[in-house]
Amino acid sequence: MSEITQLETPVFAEASPSVLHQLNLCNRRLERLLHNLRNEHNAEAEIRDIARDVIRAVEINPDVALACIFLSQINGTYAVRHCIETAVVTVVIARSMNLNPANSLTVTAAALTMNVGMLRHHEGFQNKNSPLSHEEMAIVRRHPEESADMLRDVGIDDDDWISCVLMHHENDEGSGYPAGIASPEVTLNAKLLSFADRYCAQVSARNYRKSILPSLALRNLIDDKQAPVDPHLADCFRRELGDFPPGCLVRLAGGEIGVVSRRQGCSRGLQVHYLRDAAGAMLSPALPRCLDDGPLAITEGLSEDQASTRFSMKQIWGTQASL
C-alpha cells in the first residue's frame, strides 16, 4: 500500500447518538402506524414526529444515514423500509437545495406515506417471480390516489403533502400516473420525492433481485428517456450522492477493497476505509484513507458478493452507527 498520511479523519465522540439506531426506531414506529392508520386519532402529528426524527438522524451524520441504505441496515419489511430510505435521500437532497424547514418536513412526511394505499399489496408484489397482472398493475397505478384518500380520511389536509403523494409518479411530459399531469403542474417537491423513490427502489435489494450499484442506478434515472428528470434535481443527486456514496463498496486502483465512509472526508473529496489489502488480506482495524487520482483512485463499485467481506457499520463510523 502506498505511504499515505491519514488526514482529516475525525474521532467520533462516544456520546454521539446512533443514526442507525434512530432510523430503525423510526422504521418500527412507521410500520405500526401505517398498518393501523385508519384507527389513528392523531395521525398527522404522529407522522410529522417520525419525519422530524428522520431529519434529526440525517442531521447527526448524513453519511451514516446514507450508508444505512447502501449496506441494507434498516430492518423491517421492504414496503416500510423503502419509505424510510426514500425519506433519508429526500432529506439529504432537500438540504442541498436549501429548502426551508417547513418544506423539508412536508416532503419528508410525504415520503413516509407515499405508498400507504398499496401497503397491504406491497409484500405480495415483492414475492412474485413473474410480471404483475393487469389487475395488479391497476392497483399500482391507483396507489397515489388511494394513499392521498387515506391521508385525507385521517385528517391530513396539508395541500403540499397531499399533492406530493398524488404526484410522486407523474412525469414532466405527462407520461406518468395516475392523472398524466405535466409540468409546470408537477411540483418541485413531487419531483424530488419521485427521484428519491425511484433511486432507492433501484439501490435496495428486493426479494426477487439484488440491489443495483449506485453509479448504475443514478445513470439509469438520469438517462431515462421515458421519464425525464428535472436537470436541477439531477445535478443535486450527482453532487450529493455521486457514483460512490457512503456505504458503497469499492475496488481501488492498487487492488485494495474498501467502503466509502465520507463524501467530504478530505480536502480532495471522498474518504474510504480500506477493508482488504491488495493481496486480499482483511485489515483490522479498517484503515481510513483520502483518495487521489493515482493508486488510491476508485476503479469500480462492488456488490457485497464481489467484495466478499463482512464488517459492522460501527467498525467504520463508531457509535453513530451502533445498533
Side-chain angles (χ1 to χ4, degrees):
M1 186 182 293
S2 308
E3 224 176 82
I4 313 268
T5 7
Q6 297 182 27
L7 299 175
E8 302 169 71
T9 302
V11 176
F12 294 110
E14 284 304 310
S16 294
S18 169
V19 175
L20 174 56
H21 181 67
Q22 295 279 17
L23 290 177
N24 274 312
L25 283 178
C26 289
N27 191 75
R28 287 197 291 273
R29 289 174 61 198
L30 185 65
E31 181 113 32
R32 287 193 298 269
L33 188 147
L34 293 183
H35 281 289
N36 195 44
L37 187 63
R38 291 194 185 279
N39 298 319
E40 289 291 335
H41 302 298
N42 202 14
E44 180 170 358
E46 289 287 334
I47 295 165
R48 287 188 185 277
D49 193 45
I50 297 171
R52 288 188 191 93
D53 282 349
V54 172
I55 292 170
R56 278 193 286 267
V58 174
E59 288 173 345
I60 291 168
N61 191 325
D63 291 335
V64 176
L66 289 169
C68 291
I69 299 172
F70 298 105
L71 294 172
S72 302
Q73 293 300 299
I74 299 174
N75 297 318
T77 61
Y78 173 78
V80 178
R81 171 169 58 87
H82 173 66
C83 293
I84 294 286
E85 292 174 346
T86 300
V88 167
V89 171
T90 296
V91 174
V92 169
I93 303 300
R95 284 159 54 93
S96 169
M97 295 167 64
N98 295 315
L99 294 189
N100 65 53
N103 210 355
S104 294
L105 181 62
T106 295
V107 73
T108 305
L112 297 178
T113 54
M114 61 186 175
N115 294 335
V116 65
M118 193 173 64
L119 197 60
R120 67 186 185 278
H121 302 286
H122 215 298
E123 289 304 315
F125 292 170
Q126 295 305 307
N127 290 325
K128 281 180 68 77
N129 293 318
S130 57
L132 297 182
S133 67
H134 291 301
E135 294 77 12
E136 290 165 334
M137 278 305 303
I139 291 169
V140 170
R141 296 183 71 85
R142 283 199 310 269
H143 85 266
E145 291 173 310
E146 293 196 355
S147 298
D149 288 343
M150 284 184 70
L151 294 174
R152 291 192 192 98
D153 287 346
V154 296
I156 294 168
D157 58 3
D158 183 319
D159 288 339
D160 290 336
W161 180 344
I162 297 295
S163 71
C164 275
V165 170
L166 269 174
M167 292 193 286
H168 76 279
H169 283 292
E170 301 287 4
N171 297 325
D172 271 356
E173 81 299 350
S175 64
Y177 61 85
I181 295 170
S183 283
E185 286 184 69
V186 184
T187 66
L188 181 60
N189 280 352
K191 292 178 186 179
L192 167 55
L193 180 52
S194 173
F195 201 148
D197 176 25
R198 293 160 60 205
Y199 180 79
C200 289
Q202 294 207 28
V203 300
S204 294
R206 312 284 191 95
N207 291 348
Y208 58 87
R209 69 156 173 79
K210 294 180 179 179
S211 59
I212 294 173
L213 290 176
S215 56
L216 179 58
L218 193 55
R219 190 159 61 249
N220 286 346
L221 294 174
I222 291 174
D223 294 345
D224 186 355
K225 304 303 181 190
Q226 302 300 313
V229 171
D230 182 291
H232 176 55
L233 276 175
D235 287 342
C236 287
F237 271 74
R238 285 192 193 99
R239 182 174 64 249
E240 292 302 317
L241 301 176
D243 285 342
F244 307 109
C248 184
L249 297 163
V250 294
R251 191 188 311 279
L252 283 299
E256 302 90 348
I257 289 175
V259 59
V260 177
S261 48
R262 298 180 73 201
R263 292 170 299 162
Q264 302 298 325
C266 312
S267 57
R268 297 190 294 278
L270 296 177
Q271 176 182 281
V272 169
H273 271 66
Y274 282 49
L275 303 169
R276 289 185 181 273
D277 65 20
M282 288 292 295
L283 299 173
S284 185
L287 301 176
R289 293 288 186 265
C290 296
L291 298 191
D292 59 25
D293 295 323
L296 297 185
I298 293 174
T299 59
E300 61 177 335
L302 301 173
S303 67
E304 285 190 20
D305 289 343
Q306 290 172 314
S308 188
T309 184
R310 295 290 181 268
F311 59 94
S312 73
M313 286 187 64
K314 189 176 179 181
Q315 288 174 259
I316 309 299
W317 290 276
T319 56
Q320 289 184 342
S322 58
L323 290 170

